[in-house]
Amino acid sequence: MSLDGVIFIIYILTLLMIGLWFSRKSSESSEQYLLGGRSLGPAVTAMTMQTTAMSGYMFMGAPALAFQYGWYAVWYAIGDAGGSIVNLSVLGKRMRRMSELLGALSPIEYLEKRFEHASVRVVGSIISIVFLFAYVCAQFIAAGKAMATLTGFPYEMSLIIGISVIIIYTVAGGYLAVAYTAFVQGIIMVAGVVGIGVLAYIHVGGLTSLNTALGNIDPTYLSIWGKDLAFYGQWGVVLGAILIFSIGYMGLPHVVVRHMSMQSTKTVKGAILIGAIWNQFFIFVPYILGLAGILLIPTISDPEMIITELAYTLFPGFFAALLLSAVMSAVMSTCDSLLIQAGTILSRDVYQRFINKNAKEKTTVLVSRLCILGGGIVGIVVAIFEPPSIFGLAVFAFGTLGNAFLVPYVASVYSKKANYIGCLCAMIGGATTNIIWTSMDLEAVTGLHPFLAGLLVSLIGMIIGSRFGRKPSQSILTIFEQSKNKRSFSTQFDQNIARSLAPEAKNISKFLAKESGSVRNSFS
């Protein structure tokens, strides 16, 4: 094996060690395994949220899109740059408070308890499992391609080795392993993409020279409507491209669970700052590298491998391996999050909710681990057949999940009137619209992006549906109000404070009584 392959093996062994390190702690309870005991601080929250959201799409799908359509692709980056700020600002504090008040350990369980109907959990679980599985297949394909380049192994062997590592540390370490490996991976990702970006920028002579060269090849590469003006005048497509990543993260179960795992609501401010800074360094570079690829490697057979090829073209093998570890970091940070979320839904929202309601903590954790293992194995088998492009599969799964859950999650913390009928209409209507719009290519006919179409249907479904069925109970309305405000101290906390201050209080009381007696004597 080459030196770069050895470097990569060291990298994945490090991730395995992190997973095994957290294995004992994660087995303590379901909350510990599925949410890390709600203990994550700002830095880990920000990094695990962003690396989970970015995935292999950013290193493979984004450059390929820019290579195909030119500067039009940057519409996706513009929305993505503010995605973390929107996500944490809109949902962060309220969802953190409400999920704990409801005692919810998964995003789907949260929806059932907030909207007070088992059907929400059934429908939500089905949509989540199907499209998380589709999303994870896209990441598995990316992992196989990246590792094949790094090691020289066949795609199938690379896929099995890479995904096996992810499965092992996820099964062993649970949410904490996923979160802390994501922290490490986030640092590698931004360092890698910036390193490749700087050298590519120098080779093309800066943005001005890049644009001049692209204009000489085909002026429409510079158009906001895409190469050959493919999306000319279709503002509905452009708006959808911006919205899918700017607000779409609020509908992804494996991303919004990060709100539930934060240490406290105070975590939000720091996470927003760290996430926003990380985004600005990371988001735009892959798209610009796709544009640089048009000049530097115009005959590449697979545009999804542009960053991989540029790394080996611009860097010596040793440094290329370090940089390409960033590609695997992006893939792995999303794969493990998808797997643990699928395992959470299957164990908590299906097994414990409908099959064995009295399941013990250890049993639930075991079922979750088995589900992660089973889902990973099935995903490997499917990914070996190499479905459609990473970009197409990732955006399709992303859009469907976002259309199904974005409106229900936002409504759950901002609307007192939203009920289970509205939630069901929003989930089913949004997901179905995205599926139909994509499969029938209605974007070309209507000029409306599938995500935007699904979002509108989901929103209308929530508004109209919430006019029917029973209204939220008084207990939910009380929790709703509590989630809006800063948490007041609990009775137990007040009692503990009172006991702690009791000696001082008694001394002060005696002192005041003594002083009062002295004053009375002086006047007698």
Side-chain angles (χ1 to χ4, degrees):
M1 185 184 294
S2 61
L3 178 60
D4 46 356
V6 173
I7 293 170
F8 181 69
I9 294 299
I10 294 172
Y11 164 67
I12 61 175
L13 287 175
T14 302
L15 297 182
L16 276 175
M17 290 174 62
I18 294 174
L20 295 174
W21 174 266
F22 285 111
S23 61
R24 180 176 296 180
K25 188 173 184 179
S26 294
S27 299
E28 293 174 1
S29 66
S30 295
E31 184 175 54
Q32 195 71 34
Y33 187 78
L34 303 179
L35 283 182
R38 301 184 196 268
S39 62
L40 300 190
V44 178
T45 295
M47 295 295 260
T48 187
M49 183 173 287
Q50 291 311 106
T51 56
T52 294
M54 294 305 140
S55 77
Y57 160 79
M58 288 302 295
F59 278 95
M60 294 184 175
L65 185 68
F67 186 89
Q68 181 179 1
Y69 289 112
W71 278 100
Y72 160 80
V74 179
W75 285 122
Y76 287 90
I78 290 171
D80 213 349
S84 64
I85 300 173
V86 174
N87 189 4
L88 284 161
S89 299
V90 173
L91 288 181
K93 291 184 177 180
R94 293 193 180 194
M95 193 169 180
R96 172 62 179 83
R97 293 190 187 111
M98 188 174 284
S99 65
E100 187 172 19
L101 290 169
L102 291 171
L105 298 185
S106 86
I108 305 303
E109 179 186 10
Y110 165 83
L111 287 177
E112 182 200 15
K113 291 185 173 181
R114 164 59 180 87
F115 292 109
E116 304 176 286
H117 206 277
S119 61
V120 171
R121 200 166 191 164
V122 172
V123 174
S125 295
I126 292 171
I127 294 173
S128 295
I129 291 168
V130 171
F131 289 96
L132 284 175
F133 179 72
Y135 206 159
V136 84
C137 281
Q139 305 313 311
F140 282 10
I141 298 165
K145 286 185 175 182
M147 192 163 179
T149 302
L150 277 166
T151 62
F153 295 157
Y155 167 79
E156 293 79 7
M157 185 184 295
S158 299
L159 179 70
I160 292 171
I161 295 173
I163 302 307
S164 294
V165 171
I166 299 171
I167 293 172
I168 292 170
Y169 76 69
T170 304
V171 168
Y175 190 87
L176 285 175
V178 170
Y180 281 91
T181 53
F183 179 80
V184 174
Q185 289 160 339
I187 295 172
I188 296 172
M189 284 167 64
V190 76
V193 80
V194 169
I196 299 173
V198 168
L199 275 192
Y201 183 85
I202 294 171
H203 272 71
V204 298
L207 288 179
T208 301
S209 297
L210 172 64
N211 285 332
T212 300
L214 289 175
N216 291 334
I217 296 171
D218 187 336
T220 60
Y221 272 129
L222 307 178
S223 170
I224 63 170
W225 307 116
K227 185 178 182 294
D228 299 326
L229 304 180
F231 304 100
Y232 182 76
Q234 298 180 30
W235 284 106
V237 174
V238 171
L239 182 59
I242 296 172
L243 290 177
I244 190 170
F245 291 144
S246 61
I247 65 174
Y249 293 126
M250 293 188 290
L252 304 186
H254 59 287
V255 175
V256 299
V257 72
R258 269 63 188 166
H259 302 306
M260 300 167 64
S261 65
M262 291 188 294
Q263 190 172 44
S264 71
T265 55
K266 293 180 181 179
T267 303
V268 173
K269 287 184 180 179
I272 289 175
L273 179 61
I274 295 168
I277 293 172
W278 188 90
N279 269 9
Q280 307 321 308
F281 279 101
F282 182 79
I283 296 296
F284 291 94
V285 181
Y287 293 94
I288 295 175
L289 286 173
L291 297 173
I294 298 172
L295 304 182
L296 300 177
I297 41 176
T299 59
I300 187 171
S301 59
D302 184 358
E304 290 186 341
M305 302 303 291
I306 285 175
I307 288 184
T308 303
E309 291 299 322
L310 285 176
Y312 278 114
T313 300
L314 304 178
F315 286 89
F318 175 80
F319 293 103
L322 292 176
L323 294 173
L324 287 175
S325 292
V327 179
M328 282 301 293
S329 293
V331 175
M332 296 173 84
S333 63
T334 301
C335 280
D336 54 25
S337 296
L338 291 167
L339 286 172
I340 195 167
Q341 196 53 51
T344 299
I345 293 167
L346 287 168
S347 64
R348 180 80 176 177
D349 299 316
V350 178
Y351 175 77
Q352 191 173 18
R353 177 66 176 84
F354 299 108
I355 299 173
N356 185 3
K357 294 184 178 181
N358 298 317
K360 296 180 180 179
E361 294 279 345
K362 290 185 177 180
T363 303
T364 304
V365 172
L366 176 61
V367 171
S368 182
R369 282 177 164 153
L370 290 174
C371 289
I372 293 169
L373 178 61
I377 293 172
V378 173
I380 289 174
V381 173
V382 173
I384 285 176
F385 291 96
E386 217 172 331
S389 72
I390 295 168
F391 172 79
L393 192 56
V395 171
F396 173 60
F398 187 113
T400 305
L401 287 169
N403 283 154
F405 297 113
L406 188 158
V407 171
Y409 282 132
V410 174
S412 72
V413 294
Y414 285 99
S415 174
K416 289 183 179 181
K417 296 180 180 180
N419 65 11
Y420 80 94
I421 296 293
C423 181
L424 289 172
C425 291
M427 287 194 300
I428 296 171
T432 303
T433 302
N434 192 288
I435 293 168
I436 293 174
W437 225 263
T438 303
S439 60
M440 298 182 66
D441 196 22
L442 294 181
E443 177 184 296
V445 178
T446 62
L448 203 62
H449 195 284
F451 180 78
L452 181 56
L455 179 64
L456 293 174
V457 172
S458 182
L459 182 60
I460 293 170
M462 176 62 78
I463 294 171
I464 295 177
S466 293
R467 294 179 178 272
F468 302 93
R470 65 173 182 267
K471 296 180 180 179
S473 66
Q474 186 57 49
S475 62
I476 290 296
L477 294 177
T478 300
I479 290 174
F480 181 89
E481 290 299 326
Q482 290 176 340
S483 71
K484 291 164 55 178
N485 306 311
K486 292 182 179 179
R487 182 191 298 177
S488 58
F489 294 124
S490 66
T491 303
Q492 184 180 5
F493 181 87
D494 289 336
Q495 289 172 348
N496 290 337
I497 289 294
R499 284 196 293 270
S500 299
L501 295 178
E504 288 79 359
K506 289 180 180 178
N507 291 333
I508 293 171
S509 179
K510 289 178 182 179
F511 175 78
L512 292 175
K514 183 178 179 180
E515 288 297 310
S516 177
S518 299
V519 171
R520 284 197 298 271
N521 291 335
S522 65
F523 283 99
S524 59

